[in-house]
Amino acid sequence: MSIDQILNWLRDTTQIAFWMTGASLAVLSYRNAKVSIFQPAKNEVFKVQIAELQALLKELNWKSPVDAWEKAGLASSAQISLNRNFKNFAKDQHNAEITSGMDGELVSVGGIVSPNATGFRLIKGPADEACHSDTVDAHASSWSDYKWDIFDISDRFQQVNDQLESALNNPVIPSKVLTSIEDFHKELQKSAMRAAEDMEKAVREFPRHYPTRKSLDGADLTWAHNVREERGEKLFQALNDLKKSVRDYLQSDELLGRK
């Protein structure tokens, strides 16, 4: 190989190395610039996400299934529904107006409709009887076959439900956590449905517990809680799953900026 050829080869090689080095430096500079420009915005998003998740978990800081049953508003909702049906039973069965010291506290703000609801049904009362007597067999039969159409919900239940729906529509909540929030929201609805079914079983016992007008005096519905199967266990498990999802996200490589 001649000296001229060697020199040309060295020149071409040097130029190729120069342009490759320049291209590499340009790519690295762009990547570094991109990180430096967008990292502050990314950090701000994380801060907002953490604040939103902390606010949600603070509201759902339940320690046990019993705590979940109470603080989710399931206990108050079930009590409202039970009291309403008991008043209807007393009026229909014994033509009696009754009141409770809890009436002012237990206020319905809405209701969940049974998927099997058939609309309004006539429950025969004293005025519908062709022959007035002391027997209550016809009425007892009607209430013993009671099926729930509406399950009242309390203000507390509505607050929890609204907060979950707000979280589900919050664009800053990470998708990794949204699924767990949605599952928890569904379990809240299922828990209310199970509580309504438990209420249905209790209402069917009214004729047996209160066969006469006199038996309404000083009536206490505490016994109705003994037929309850919904006690917040599944809701509490769904809450633990949600908390784990949040913990996993906060400890993720994506959040910590690891590669």
Side-chain angles (χ1 to χ4, degrees), residues 89 92-93 136-145 204 207-208:
F89 167 81
D92 172 74
Q93 189 85 83
V136 292
D137 291 343
H139 303 289
S141 175
S142 176
W143 283 93
S144 296
D145 295 332
R204 290 176 180 176
R208 184 171 66 85

Side-chain angles (χ1 to χ4, degrees), residues 163-218:
Q163 186 161 10
L164 291 173
E165 291 184 349
S166 177
L168 288 171
N169 291 295
N170 190 335
V172 305
I173 299 294
S175 58
K176 295 179 180 179
V177 179
L178 275 177
T179 300
S180 296
I181 296 176
E182 185 176 9
D183 291 342
F184 180 74
H185 184 243
K186 289 179 179 178
E187 189 55 49
L188 179 68
Q189 302 293 327
K190 291 178 181 178
S191 296
M193 297 287 281
R194 290 192 296 267
E197 292 168 356
D198 288 342
M199 176 204 66
E200 180 180 270
K201 290 184 289 186
V203 171
R204 290 176 180 176
E205 294 292 320
F206 284 170
R208 184 171 66 85
H209 282 268
Y210 310 103
T212 64
R213 183 185 178 95
K214 186 177 180 180
S215 64
L216 298 174
D217 189 24

